[in-house]
Amino acid sequence: AQSVTQLDSQVPVFEEAPVELRCNYSSSVSVYLFWYVQYPNQGLQLLLKYLSGSTLVKGINGFEAEFNKSQTSFHLRKPSVHISDTAEYFCAVRWGSARQLTFGSGTQLTVLP
Amino acid sequence: ETGVTQTPRHLVMGMTNKKSLKCEQHLGHNAMYWYKQSAKKPLELMFVYNFKEQTENNSVPSRFSPECPNSSHLFLHLHTLQPEDSALYLCASSIGGASGRPFWSTDTQYFGPGTRLTVL
């Protein structure tokens, strides 16, 4: 079965430090990749997506992610985090023409002062 | 209103009550989704509708009954729920695909704020 793995359930980091949130998926055949962010008591907001083209994708709030087909990864990065980046981050994958997204279990990013 | 809206934002109900969750999208999309988000578990897709037709039902118990009267509105009717059904219920929408055909590869889902449901 196809799966999405977010290796870290919790990532604490100090303000202005860089951060990387990891996401791996089970198969590289025709994938479409997404990162969503969920702030407390809110729904999911789309951060960025990879559909085709350049493997480095830039999103909102200074985040970027790189599609690595050989490693079947789509890690999310930010060079300098802010307190306001504290939230839960979800990686999601759609395979081929499937209607549904498969979500990872989420990574709670906590930015410390 | 813009994007995807959900009402109510919070709902407390007893196991014998009947209630409904409402979702409305203002994005001109054709596909709508219900997800369940429980603590410490990945998001679970419940139902998918495309052009008002249900295209996915991921083995959801019959005490959850979806309704999609048009492409802009989606309801989730609830009856005789169990305490373990307490969760955040998220609605999403996307462009979808032509009726009866796969979705476009560029299809992207946009989420509402969710309804926090507590079953006593």
Side-chain angles (χ1 to χ4, degrees):
Chain A
Q2 292 155 331
S3 63
V4 180
T5 303
Q6 291 183 244
L7 295 164
D8 306 299
S9 60
Q10 310 239 5
V11 173
V13 63
F14 286 105
E15 194 174 17
E16 297 183 6
V19 71
E20 178 180 83
L21 306 183
R22 296 180 291 170
C23 174
N24 288 85
Y25 52 91
S26 57
S27 166
S28 63
V29 175
S30 186
V31 290
Y32 305 95
L33 304 159
F34 306 80
W35 274 100
Y36 287 87
V37 59
Q38 185 176 33
Y39 299 103
N41 300 314
Q42 294 189 28
L44 275 67
Q45 179 182 0
L46 181 67
L47 263 183
L48 49 79
K49 59 185 176 182
Y50 170 79
L51 301 178
S52 66
S54 173
T55 57
L56 183 63
V57 180
K58 293 191 184 297
I60 62 172
N61 301 340
F63 283 92
E64 64 180 32
E66 185 157 18
F67 170 52
N68 188 319
K69 186 173 182 178
S70 62
Q71 307 258 338
T72 61
S73 68
F74 190 54
H75 300 334
L76 181 71
R77 302 187 188 98
K78 186 170 182 178
S80 176
V81 294
H82 303 288
I83 298 286
S84 59
D85 293 322
T86 294
E88 187 144 25
Y89 292 79
F90 292 92
C91 178
V93 180
R94 181 156 50 80
W95 279 273
S97 60
R99 294 187 178 94
Q100 60 185 12
L101 288 176
T102 300
F103 283 85
S105 53
T107 297
Q108 174 65 44
L109 172 66
T110 301
V111 181
L112 306 167
Chain B
E1 294 271 18
T2 58
V4 182
T5 58
Q6 290 186 242
T7 54
R9 293 292 310 275
H10 301 271
L11 178 63
V12 179
M13 60 187 289
M15 289 192 286
T16 59
N17 290 157
K18 289 185 181 181
K19 296 286 184 183
S20 296
L21 310 185
K22 179 183 176 183
C23 175
E24 184 173 2
Q25 59 93 3
H26 310 269
L27 300 169
H29 290 166
N30 300 306
M32 297 189 77
Y33 311 74
W34 279 118
Y35 287 86
K36 177 183 179 183
Q37 186 179 30
S38 305
K40 310 299 182 188
K41 292 176 70 174
L43 268 73
E44 300 172 56
L45 178 67
M46 300 174 73
F47 303 103
V48 181
Y49 279 81
N50 188 46
F51 283 94
K52 303 188 296 179
E53 295 178 9
Q54 188 180 121
T55 58
E56 305 279 346
N57 176 341
N58 280 358
S59 304
V60 180
S62 59
R63 57 186 184 269
F64 294 93
S65 174
E67 179 190 0
C68 188
N70 54 61
S71 292
S72 298
H73 294 85
L74 183 65
F75 295 89
L76 188 63
H77 303 300
L78 317 170
H79 63 98
T80 59
L81 294 192
Q82 305 297 312
E84 59 265 28
D85 296 322
S86 297
L88 182 67
Y89 288 84
L90 292 165
C91 174
S93 72
S94 71
I95 293 175
S99 182
R101 297 186 61 80
F103 287 5
W104 298 110
S105 60
T106 54
D107 200 61
T108 300
Q109 294 180 26
Y110 295 88
F111 286 78
T115 294
R116 173 70 63 188
L117 174 67
T118 303
V119 182
L120 301 176

